[in-house]
Amino acid sequence: MGTPHINAEKGDIAKTVLMPGDPLRAKFIADNYLENVKRFNTVRNMFGYTGTYQGKPISVMGSGMGMPSIGIYSYELYKFFDVERIVRIGSCGAYTDEIDLYDVLLATSAYSESSYAKVQSGTYDEAYTYPTKSLNDTLEKHASDLDIPIRKGVIHSSDVFYRENFDDYKTIYKEHNAIAVEMESFALFHNAKMTGKEAACILTVSDSLVTKEATSAEERQNAFTKMMEIALSLAE
Ligand code: HPA
């Protein structure tokens, strides 16, 4: 079969897909955590892999950066490949000094100024979209079973990484209670709602807009292990 952006057959992709932004992180997860791995997508180097984790099937695929990109891939996975749930595993910037680098966050909603939801469906004109409650509950339980502390909160899905006024984040933190910023979840949650599927988002804090601290690529790779292990336990 195949779609414009995913050159796979329907049965090539598991019911659960983990989506890091970076396709090379998808490759890292496949190489280091999965067995019986088969690569199912190479279009635009947006690599996707299916394998088994503790004997159970799961897929992992890059989403690219930003809502237009994750919007395309998640829609095709839900609509044309019978994917039931997508868990974004990404990085974020902290909006409050109560959050430290490498903390793991679970999104309870995504606030955005984006027109994605309105343009996609023509009917849904809200500033917030939501993950699937039962999926969040499962992820929370897995985190607790693995003894990994997680923090829950509203996240800001931004269309812009380089704002002229970085201090704008203070208003968003105050008015929307958004504790961290990333660039994809709002569109992912909307697509799940429109297709009747499930979505969630776990994030690792890679930088802070408050303290201006940032992590190196190598430190990030290690820290992301915790988040991946929480999400991988969704293999079924
Ligand atoms: N802004 C937007 N997205 C991000 C950031 C950020 O500071 N850090 C990680 N993802």
Side-chain angles (χ1 to χ4, degrees):
M1 194 193 81
T3 58
H5 309 96
I6 303 175
N7 57 350
E9 298 297 322
K10 229 178 204 178
D12 292 345
I13 307 178
K15 296 281 173 214
T16 301
V17 179
L18 309 186
M19 292 200 103
D22 180 355
L24 290 182
R25 182 153 288 128
K27 182 175 187 308
F28 175 88
I29 297 170
D31 288 346
N32 290 281
Y33 289 92
L34 304 188
E35 291 177 329
N36 312 307
V37 173
K38 191 176 162 218
R39 190 171 62 190
F40 66 78
N41 192 50
T42 53
V43 179
R44 288 176 185 253
N45 284 345
M46 197 57 84
F47 304 127
Y49 306 85
T50 298
T52 54
Y53 181 71
Q54 297 174 347
K56 297 171 198 150
I58 193 158
S59 294
V60 52
M61 179 179 173
S63 70
M65 290 185 284
M67 288 182 257
S69 186
I70 199 169
I72 291 171
Y73 293 114
S74 61
Y75 192 86
E76 291 184 5
L77 290 171
Y78 284 139
K79 198 82 181 174
F80 306 118
F81 293 97
D82 288 348
V83 167
E84 284 300 323
R85 65 195 64 80
I86 297 175
V87 178
R88 166 166 153 70
I89 45 176
S91 61
C92 64
Y95 275 180
T96 159
D97 60 9
E98 288 171 25
I99 294 178
D100 295 321
L101 293 187
Y102 308 119
D103 280 1
V104 180
L105 312 183
L106 179 68
T108 53
S109 70
Y111 160 74
S112 188
E113 311 90 338
S114 164
S115 61
Y116 184 92
K118 187 177 174 197
V119 173
Q120 195 282 328
S121 66
T123 53
Y124 188 85
D125 189 12
E126 298 276 338
Y128 295 89
T129 61
Y130 298 89
T132 309
K133 170 83 171 67
S134 55
L135 189 53
N136 266 17
D137 290 347
T138 306
L139 289 166
E140 223 183 319
K141 180 171 182 315
H142 290 162
S144 141
D145 291 347
L146 291 165
D147 255 333
I148 300 171
I150 53 169
R151 188 184 172 115
K152 295 190 286 180
V154 180
I155 52 144
H156 176 209
S157 290
S158 178
D159 274 332
V160 179
F161 188 92
Y162 294 108
R163 284 177 181 256
E164 285 302 322
N165 297 308
F166 263 100
D167 277 353
D168 288 354
Y169 84 85
K170 291 177 185 165
T171 316
I172 300 167
Y173 173 59
K174 214 181 326 168
E175 290 182 0
H176 300 279
N177 221 9
I179 58 173
V181 58
E182 49 87 75
M183 308 185 78
E184 291 83 15
S185 293
F186 180 81
L188 173 66
F189 296 166
H190 176 77
N191 280 352
K193 180 189 166 89
M194 298 314 292
T195 55
K197 304 289 179 103
E198 299 180 5
C201 172
I202 318 178
L203 299 165
T204 302
V205 178
S206 62
D207 53 271
S208 169
L209 282 86
V210 188
T211 64
K212 317 278 193 255
E213 295 169 289
T215 54
S216 70
E218 194 187 347
E219 289 168 327
R220 279 203 295 275
Q221 190 76 2
N222 295 333
F224 283 1
T225 305
K226 290 192 282 185
M227 175 173 70
M228 288 173 203
E229 285 172 357
I230 298 171
L232 280 165
S233 36
L234 289 173
E236 57 172 29

